[in-house]
Amino acid sequence: MKNFKASRRYAKAVMFLFNDNDNYIILRDNFNYFCSFIKKNEDIFLFLKNPIIRINDKVKTLDLCFSNFSLNLVFVNFVKILIFKKRIDLLFEIHEHLLNIINEKIDVVKINLFSNVLLEIDIKNKFLETMENIFKKKIILNETLDPNILGGIKLSFRDIILDGTINNSFSILKKKIINENFLEATIWI
C-alpha cells in the first residue's frame, strides 16, 4: 500500500460518519458492492481517476452509476469527496483499511494463510480454535494456494506477517552467507 497513511485516515473518517455496529455493516456492504462494481467495470474507475476529465463530469457520471444502486447517501457523498480531493485512486486501499477497522469493531480477525496445499479439515479446525483462543475473537480464515511456496505456511493479519515457509528460511540463510557469516549460517542449519 503506497499511500498507507492517507488511505487509513480516509477509512477512519468514513467510519466516524457511520457510528455504530449496524451502520458499520451497511458501510461495509456498500463499499464491498461498489468496489466489486468498479473491479468489473475498470473503464469507469479509469474515467474517475483520469486527471484530464473535469470533476463535475466525473460526479455526473458517478450519479448516473449510483442511480441504479440503492447505496447509502453518506457513502455516495464520501465517494464524491474522494473525487473532489483527487483521491479516488485510494479507493481499494481505503476499502482494505475499512474492512480491517470494521472487523476490529465487530470482534472479528481476518487471517490470510498462504501455503502450497490446502489444510486438511481437522488441522484447519484446530488452527481456527487456537487462533480464536489467542485473539478471543471470531476468526475469518482466507486460504490462498501459492505454488511458489516450497513448504510451510505464511500468515498475515492486520499489519503483521508471520513467514514460516521454507522459502523464507532459505532467504535468511542466503543473507547470512552473503554477509560472510558463514559460520553462523552453518550453525543455523
Side-chain angles (χ1 to χ4, degrees):
M1 291 188 178
K2 57 185 174 187
N3 291 299
F4 184 86
K5 287 182 181 179
S7 57
R8 187 163 178 83
R9 279 194 307 266
Y10 276 107
K12 286 181 177 180
V14 74
M15 283 290 293
F16 181 75
L17 299 173
F18 290 79
N19 55 8
D20 64 44
N21 284 356
D22 293 335
N23 287 333
Y24 295 153
I25 304 305
I26 293 169
L27 174 61
R28 182 194 64 199
D29 293 346
N30 277 236
F31 234 112
N32 287 344
Y33 187 78
F34 184 66
C35 285
S36 67
F37 171 77
I38 290 294
K39 283 180 183 176
K40 290 177 188 170
N41 301 286
E42 192 175 326
D43 290 342
I44 293 174
F45 193 52
L46 293 174
F47 174 82
L48 295 174
K49 291 190 322 183
N50 191 326
I52 297 170
I53 298 169
R54 294 182 336 180
I55 290 175
N56 289 340
D57 293 337
K58 293 177 184 182
V59 170
K60 286 178 186 174
T61 303
L62 198 62
D63 284 337
L64 284 172
C65 290
F66 284 144
S67 67
N68 296 325
F69 309 134
S70 58
L71 296 174
N72 181 285
L73 182 62
V74 176
F75 173 75
V76 171
N77 288 334
F78 174 75
V79 174
K80 288 179 183 179
I81 288 171
L82 292 177
I83 291 171
F84 280 115
K85 296 286 188 179
K86 298 178 181 170
R87 297 300 242 167
I88 194 69
D89 59 315
L90 298 178
L91 182 72
F92 296 109
E93 292 179 30
I94 294 168
H95 183 232
E96 187 68 31
H97 282 295
L98 184 77
L99 291 177
N100 289 336
I101 293 169
I102 290 173
N103 284 340
E104 190 73 29
K105 294 274 186 194
I106 61 174
D107 289 332
V108 172
V109 174
K110 179 182 171 191
I111 297 178
N112 297 307
L113 184 143
F114 303 89
S115 67
N116 64 351
V117 294
L118 291 176
L119 295 180
E120 295 176 12
I121 299 290
D122 56 331
I123 294 172
K124 185 178 187 177
N125 290 337
K126 183 68 176 167
F127 175 80
L128 287 170
E129 181 183 324
T130 303
M131 291 296 111
E132 285 176 355
N133 287 335
I134 290 171
F135 288 106
K136 306 288 188 239
K137 296 181 179 196
K138 183 179 180 332
I139 302 296
I140 296 175
L141 184 64
N142 179 27
E143 273 188 277
T144 304
L145 288 177
D146 184 349
N148 296 322
I149 294 177
L150 299 174
I153 62 170
K154 179 167 65 171
L155 300 173
S156 70
F157 54 95
R158 298 180 185 139
D159 297 331
I160 300 169
I161 296 176
L162 300 174
D163 195 342
T165 61
I166 293 174
N167 305 47
N168 187 47
S169 298
F170 283 154
S171 177
I172 292 169
L173 181 62
K174 180 180 175 182
K175 286 177 187 173
K176 286 184 178 183
I177 290 172
I178 289 172
N179 290 333
E180 299 178 22
N181 293 334
F182 186 72
L183 181 61
E184 191 177 314
T186 55
I187 293 171
W188 183 79
I189 295 174

